[in-house]
């Protein structure tokens, strides 16, 4: 794409041999669409924002993980106290004899967004803290240790990551992890928080407070944002009727869907599809 912003290695790595670096974002501000000539891992600690990856919008919050390839295009929009780490790396500079593609290239067909539970996040935070300290040192031993720590991080993420829709992977975990997973599976149906709390023996009010503290949103706001992101994806990449998209995204009334979508995006679903959607689609 003409005029595409490309982030360069020379601006982020101290030397021509450095393989890994840590770029913290406290907070992550709005950032225009860009690609890189390096790769990165994105791990979200708290807050929320709209992460648009290769034209697909994702409402991200604590525990979200993305593997970003050099050729991927992404941007950050509508951020709210979004705190994350970018672990940037150059695959061609990694020297350890490890199957890096298996660790860093998610299975074909899996969604771009992964989730990490609280236990995995705690392990990752500790490793990243050490990696941050070592990766800025120019000596050979420090760079070797930085790559070793990067390997530990990749293994920890590989061990603890799961797809949001994977029910088996979310049977165990902290209540907040279970709640975010449950909301992700409720895009086309009502979500009953009281029933969730009863099932997981959780107190509703403290859970609401914890959710807002960690994500910067209420539970209903987060679910609505997930549904709007799904609607944007379907409007852009399918020729489904707008009324069918509304139903698929948990809105029984297509008129109400249009009101909510317009409030959240600034344009109606029809106009959004005309601006960003497929060239040919059915009349809605």
């Amino acid at each position: 794409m003409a005029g595409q912003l490309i982030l360069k290695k020379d601006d982020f790595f101290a030397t021509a041999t450095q393989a890994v670096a840590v770029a913290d974002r406290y907070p992550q501000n709005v950032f225009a669409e860009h690609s890189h000539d390096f790769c990165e891992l994105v791990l979200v600690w708290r807050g929320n924002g709209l992460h648009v990856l290769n034209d697909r919008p994702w409402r991200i919050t604590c525990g979200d993980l993305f593997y970003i390839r050099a050729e991927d295009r992404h941007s950050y929009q509508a951020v709210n106290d979004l705190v994350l780490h970018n672990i940037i790396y150059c695959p061609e500079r990694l020297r350890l004899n490890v199957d890096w593609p298996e660790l860093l290239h998610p299975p074909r067909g899996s969604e771009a967004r992964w989730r990490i539970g609280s236990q995995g996040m705690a392990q990752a935070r500790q490793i990243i803290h050490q990696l941050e300290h070592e990766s800025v040192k120019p000596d050979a031993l420090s760079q070797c240790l930085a790559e070793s720590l990067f390997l530990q991080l990749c293994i920890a993420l590989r061990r603890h990551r799961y797809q949001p829709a994977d029910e088996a992977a979310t049977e165990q975990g902290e209540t907040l992890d279970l709640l975010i997973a449950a909301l992700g599976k409720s895009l086309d149906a009502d979500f009953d928080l009281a029933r969730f709390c009863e099932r997981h023996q959780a107190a509703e009010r403290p859970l609401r407070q914890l959710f807002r503290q960690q994500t910067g949103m209420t539970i209903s706001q987060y679910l609505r944002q997930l549904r709007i992101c799904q609607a944007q994806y379907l409007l852009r990449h399918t020729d489904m009727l707008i009324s069918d998209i509304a139903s698929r995204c948990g809105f029984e009334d297509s008129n109400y869907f249009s009101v909510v979508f317009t409030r959240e995006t600034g344009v109606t679903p029809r106009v959004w599809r005309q601006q960003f959607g497929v060239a040919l689609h059915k009349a809605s």
Side-chain angles (χ1 to χ4, degrees):
M1 181 183 297
Q4 174 73 50
L5 175 63
I6 302 176
L7 305 187
K8 298 293 188 178
K9 297 173 186 174
D10 292 346
D11 296 324
F12 292 88
F13 293 89
T15 70
T17 59
Q18 184 182 10
V20 185
V22 178
D24 57 37
R25 296 291 184 261
Y26 292 93
Q28 171 66 60
N29 295 317
V30 170
F31 203 111
E33 183 178 77
H34 61 281
S35 59
H36 328 80
D37 63 1
F38 52 85
C39 302
E40 67 180 357
L41 306 179
V42 176
L43 186 56
V44 183
W45 298 108
R46 73 165 188 267
N48 68 86
L50 187 65
H51 183 210
V52 182
L53 174 60
N54 297 326
D55 298 325
R56 177 158 188 174
W58 302 91
R59 176 57 60 172
I60 58 174
T61 191
C62 58
D64 281 331
L65 167 69
F66 291 85
Y67 295 80
I68 309 295
R69 301 164 300 180
E71 64 270 22
D72 288 332
R73 297 171 291 104
H74 68 141
S75 65
Y76 295 95
Q77 305 171 16
V79 297
N80 176 24
D81 191 30
L82 181 62
V83 174
L84 54 82
H85 266 118
N86 287 334
I87 315 301
I88 61 178
Y89 66 96
C90 300
E92 73 280 4
R93 296 179 183 176
L94 296 169
R95 293 190 240 175
L96 292 178
N97 186 21
V98 174
D99 188 354
W100 289 109
E102 196 280 332
L103 288 173
L104 291 166
H105 296 174
R108 188 179 299 276
S110 62
E111 288 195 338
R113 185 185 68 172
W114 293 78
R115 294 280 307 158
I116 300 293
S118 299
Q119 183 179 359
M121 291 286 283
Q123 289 186 19
R125 187 185 291 275
Q126 185 176 21
I127 298 170
I128 291 172
H129 177 72
Q130 295 176 275
L131 179 58
E132 224 171 355
H133 181 69
E134 292 295 336
S135 64
V136 296
K137 299 179 182 179
D139 63 282
L141 285 178
S142 294
Q143 292 304 306
C144 183
L145 180 53
E147 186 173 342
S148 176
L149 288 166
F150 181 60
L151 174 59
Q152 291 183 47
L153 176 63
C154 292
I155 292 172
L157 296 177
R158 178 69 176 80
R159 175 173 289 169
H160 291 282
R161 77 187 186 193
Y162 60 89
Q163 290 277 250
D166 185 353
E167 293 188 12
T170 56
E171 289 177 354
Q172 302 291 329
E174 299 291 336
T175 306
L176 183 62
D177 302 328
L178 297 173
L179 175 57
I180 290 176
L183 291 168
K185 299 169 193 171
S186 301
L187 299 185
D188 60 350
D190 291 335
F191 177 74
D192 190 330
L193 180 60
R195 182 177 298 177
F196 173 89
C197 290
E198 181 179 357
R199 177 183 176 187
H200 296 287
Q201 299 181 337
E204 184 172 330
R205 184 175 179 183
L207 183 58
R208 287 184 182 274
Q209 293 173 335
L210 177 64
F211 188 93
R212 185 155 197 166
Q213 176 187 353
Q214 293 297 315
T215 69
M217 294 177 286
T218 65
I219 293 171
S220 60
Q221 286 172 336
Y222 178 67
L223 181 55
R224 183 168 63 250
Q225 289 293 329
L226 291 181
R227 288 171 169 170
I228 293 299
C229 285
Q230 177 71 358
Q232 288 176 309
Y233 174 77
L234 293 174
L235 286 166
R236 182 164 198 155
H237 297 286
T238 77
D239 61 357
M240 292 174 61
L241 298 173
I242 290 177
S243 57
D244 291 339
I245 290 175
S247 179
R248 178 77 68 86
C249 297
F251 296 88
E252 294 183 3
D253 186 303
S254 60
N255 290 326
Y256 178 64
F257 164 68
S258 182
V259 169
V260 174
F261 188 95
T262 303
R263 185 174 66 225
E264 296 293 338
T265 68
V267 295
T268 66
R270 187 185 301 276
V271 171
W272 202 93
R273 169 171 268 173
Q274 290 170 349
Q275 291 178 344
F276 304 109
V278 292
L280 297 174
H281 55 268
K282 300 174 184 177
S284 298

